[in-house]
Amino acid sequence: MAICLLLWLLLAKGLALEGAVGATFSSRLVHRFSEEAKVHLASRGSGSVLQPWPKRNSSEYFRLLLRSDETRQRMRLGSQYESLYLSEGGQTYFYGNVLDSLHYAWIDIGTPNVSFLVALDAGSDILWVPCDCIECASLSSDHYNNVMGRDLNQYRPSLSSTSRHLPCGHQLCNKSSDCKGSKDPCPYFVAYYSNNTTSSGYLFEDKLHLASNGRHAVQKSVQASIILGCGSKQTGVFFQGAAPDGVLGLGIGNISVPSLLAKAGLIQNSFSICFDENESGKIIFGDQGDDTQHSTPFLPYEGKFTTYEVDVESFCVGSLCLKETRISALIDSGTSFTYLPSNVYQKVVTEFDRQVNATGIIRQQFAFDLEYCYSASLQELINFPPLKLAFSRNQTFSIQNPMVTYSDYPGIFCLAVFKTDDDDDVTIGQNFLTGYRLVFDRENLRFGWSRWNCQDTVSITSPSNGGSPNPLPANQQQSVPNERGVPPAVAAGHASPKPSAASPGLTCRLYWASLLVICKLWLWLSC
């Protein structure tokens, strides 16, 4: 204690001399595994710390140094893992109209684990699965033409040893009239953009099974505590093929899976999704992209970052960027198509139609509501005018394939863009997002993208030039679903200001601030 008191006195005296010109302060550095450190710890009676004491340059000596480095790196990065995948590999799947043209992934929940095929939705926050069903869609694979290859499951909290009700008193419970006391089970209710589409029930805490895949560690399983909805009642499109086994909300809210994983210190507060030309893909938690990617900031909504919304400065058709086509749009993996305001929609489709060298088809001939359809061969399709989204700072996002077709009408291609009169429904959907590694960097509040083939199962680093090693064919088609998919979401961002050059006075204060940190660390270790 006497040594500690002396150190505090020296520190106080040093700080008092902050304004003095040329003030200096020095201290000896002692290696953690040196003989001097060993003698010091022994003098404090820390015998347990000394057994075993690593011999200098021994394998144990280097192993302990390496472990210390890894611990410090995790502290500096603020996360335990570089990236996390869903336990079944993180692959995403697309089953066409059978499951409402949404993208899905298999997740494992509970102890013992049970698998669920959930729709990926960046437009909502809650993860829910069918549970204690009052009104749920069919879970039989036969009902969906057996496209999944196995039946879907229902969550049964009583059969999971790690499941427990989320109480109304929990900070993540959105209090409602159904909460009579703080210990009551917390109810949830989520309404989606599709007409009369809802899910409701009660919230539970349980384990989500993941797998790590870092550069410095072998792959291993990870069980993360998450909050999920026990969805006992669904309505709307959930009975028409959309997400019968639940929805994985990837929104920016505190209750979403990416938020919970980041708050637990498991990953950086970011994730990426990739949909490839075969309509499969990958989802990676903790992925912040790389230095080669393009990016644009998210926008705040009423002063808060609550959804993944971006500012599109203009739409470009061919080499022409159209005037007065600026919009704020949601980037949403849970919406099948792209929806534009009426005035912007009309400018885009009119210019596209003007540049197309193909025979137009009257819309009334078809059972869907796409207005601009053409009869063309695959070779002619390649020559269709490209579409681009122009963002600030000359960042552009090229749409790989804006055209879709019905298998019932071979040789007919339609521009898959819809108009909406509701500004809240302006959305960049899945059909515009194919062929990219889409990074939702919630930590830096930015949306990033780079070309990727989505097939890399080991490294999350895309090609150094930002291009896909396997360019996507321009004639790859998507199918038109019966309805718009499960809703979208938004968020926003800002750039961090750069530090200015330090003045002499500031340099002195920074010197003593650094010294204060060093001394505090020494006191913490020694006293």
Side-chain angles (χ1 to χ4, degrees):
M1 290 301 298
I3 295 176
C4 293
L5 179 61
L6 177 61
L7 282 172
W8 278 116
L9 290 173
L10 288 172
L11 178 61
K13 180 178 180 181
L15 291 173
L17 294 174
E18 178 183 338
V21 177
T24 61
F25 187 86
S26 63
S27 177
R28 291 186 68 251
L29 297 178
V30 179
H31 193 278
R32 73 191 67 183
F33 295 139
S34 66
E35 288 301 313
E36 186 174 351
K38 182 177 181 180
V39 170
H40 174 69
L41 291 174
S43 68
R44 295 174 55 195
S46 303
S48 60
V49 179
L50 305 180
Q51 301 297 328
W53 189 259
K55 183 179 179 180
R56 181 175 175 81
N57 293 338
S58 66
S59 59
E60 177 66 10
Y61 174 88
F62 288 117
R63 187 182 68 81
L64 291 174
L65 288 180
L66 179 60
R67 181 190 299 175
S68 176
D69 287 346
E70 290 175 345
T71 300
R72 289 177 60 252
Q73 287 170 358
R74 286 197 297 268
M75 291 173 61
R76 182 174 67 251
L77 293 173
S79 60
Q80 188 172 352
Y81 301 100
E82 292 177 358
S83 61
L84 289 175
Y85 297 82
L86 298 171
S87 58
E88 298 198 27
Q91 283 80 19
T92 66
Y93 304 92
F94 182 84
Y95 301 103
N97 292 341
V98 177
L99 293 181
D100 210 45
S101 295
L102 297 174
H103 286 263
Y104 293 82
W106 287 99
I107 65 173
D108 286 358
I109 298 173
T111 309
N113 58 298
V114 178
S115 298
F116 301 89
L117 182 66
V118 293
L120 303 175
D121 183 22
S124 62
D125 296 330
I126 290 180
L127 161 63
W128 68 263
V129 292
C131 162
D132 296 340
C133 285
I134 298 173
E135 291 183 37
C136 298
S138 172
L139 300 178
S140 170
S141 181
D142 290 338
H143 185 79
Y144 305 99
N145 299 328
N146 202 28
V147 296
M148 298 89 69
R150 52 177 165 167
D151 287 343
L152 304 178
N153 290 308
Q154 182 178 162
Y155 178 63
R156 302 184 187 279
S158 61
L159 298 183
S160 173
S161 63
T162 49
S163 173
R164 68 186 184 94
H165 269 291
L166 189 79
C168 283
H170 195 282
Q171 60 180 354
L172 292 179
C173 178
N174 187 12
K175 308 298 186 295
S176 72
S177 58
D178 294 329
C179 279
K180 305 302 181 183
S182 62
K183 295 184 179 181
D184 288 348
C186 177
Y188 85 90
F189 177 87
V190 55
Y192 296 94
Y193 287 164
S194 298
N195 290 338
N196 192 34
T197 298
T198 65
S199 176
S200 58
Y202 289 92
L203 294 179
F204 282 79
E205 293 183 78
D206 210 332
K207 299 295 183 181
L208 175 65
H209 295 256
L210 303 162
S212 68
N213 193 17
R215 290 192 298 269
H216 305 300
V218 295
Q219 184 169 342
K220 64 178 181 179
S221 61
V222 178
Q223 282 101 51
S225 294
I226 49 92
I227 295 171
L228 72 150
C230 171
S232 59
K233 185 176 181 180
Q234 277 67 247
T235 63
V237 299
F238 295 127
F239 287 93
Q240 301 170 15
D245 211 22
V247 172
L248 175 55
L250 298 168
I252 205 167
N254 291 331
I255 202 171
S256 74
V257 167
S259 297
L260 294 171
L261 296 180
K263 186 176 181 180
L266 296 175
I267 57 166
Q268 294 290 303
N269 193 8
S270 184
F271 70 92
S272 68
I273 295 179
C274 184
F275 304 132
D276 68 14
E277 71 274 17
N278 296 318
E279 296 172 328
S280 62
K282 190 177 295 294
I283 179 169
I284 308 171
F285 297 105
D287 181 16
Q288 289 185 304
D290 56 36
D291 293 337
T292 69
Q293 72 182 8
H294 301 279
S295 66
T296 193
F298 290 127
L299 296 176
Y301 177 72
E302 295 182 350
K304 297 180 180 179
F305 297 111
T306 56
T307 52
Y308 302 123
E309 186 171 358
V310 295
D311 179 28
V312 179
E313 291 194 342
S314 65
F315 269 79
C316 303
V317 181
S319 60
L320 177 64
C321 291
L322 304 175
K323 296 180 179 180
E324 298 179 355
T325 55
R326 186 169 194 163
I327 60 169
S328 295
L330 308 180
I331 302 294
D332 181 36
S333 64
T335 299
S336 300
F337 294 115
T338 295
Y339 294 78
L340 304 178
S342 297
N343 61 324
V344 175
Y345 167 86
Q346 201 58 53
K347 291 177 181 292
V348 172
V349 296
T350 299
E351 181 60 29
F352 184 87
D353 188 62
R354 188 185 69 82
Q355 295 188 29
V356 164
N357 184 20
T359 303
I361 301 296
I362 300 174
R363 179 181 59 171
Q364 284 75 9
Q365 295 180 6
F366 304 98
F368 44 94
D369 293 329
L370 294 171
E371 292 187 278
Y372 288 83
C373 298
Y374 308 90
S375 175
S377 66
L378 293 179
Q379 184 59 42
E380 289 173 324
L381 178 64
I382 295 176
N383 297 321
F384 276 24
L387 295 182
K388 291 183 180 180
L389 307 180
F391 295 99
S392 60
R393 297 185 295 113
N394 294 321
Q395 302 288 295
T396 59
F397 188 103
S398 297
I399 312 306
Q400 301 303 314
N401 179 31
M403 309 300 290
V404 296
T405 185
Y406 257 134
S407 58
D408 298 341
Y409 303 99
I412 304 300
F413 303 96
C414 299
L415 180 61
V417 180
F418 291 86
K419 59 184 173 183
T420 176
D421 295 323
D422 187 346
D423 288 344
D424 290 336
D425 284 348
V426 178
T427 306
I428 305 300
Q430 293 171 9
N431 69 310
F432 272 27
L433 303 176
T434 300
Y436 287 96
R437 174 184 179 183
L438 308 167
V439 176
F440 295 81
D441 188 346
R442 301 133 54 86
E443 186 169 314
N444 298 301
L445 297 170
R446 302 189 70 81
F447 172 64
W449 65 92
S450 58
R451 289 293 305 277
W452 203 38
N453 68 356
C454 305
Q455 300 304 313
D456 191 348
T457 58
V458 178
S459 172
I460 62 174
T461 303
S462 60
S464 59
N465 62 0
S468 171
N470 299 314
L472 302 180
N475 61 353
Q476 182 63 43
Q477 297 310 305
Q478 302 179 32
S479 299
V480 178
N482 297 324
E483 292 207 33
R484 185 178 184 187
V486 181
V490 187
H494 58 273
S496 300
K498 295 182 179 180
S500 57
S503 64
L506 179 58
T507 302
C508 184
R509 287 192 291 273
L510 290 174
Y511 170 83
W512 286 110
S514 301
L515 179 61
L516 177 61
V517 172
I518 294 172
C519 290
K520 281 186 175 180
L521 287 173
W522 174 264
L523 290 170
W524 178 71
L525 292 170
S526 304
C527 301

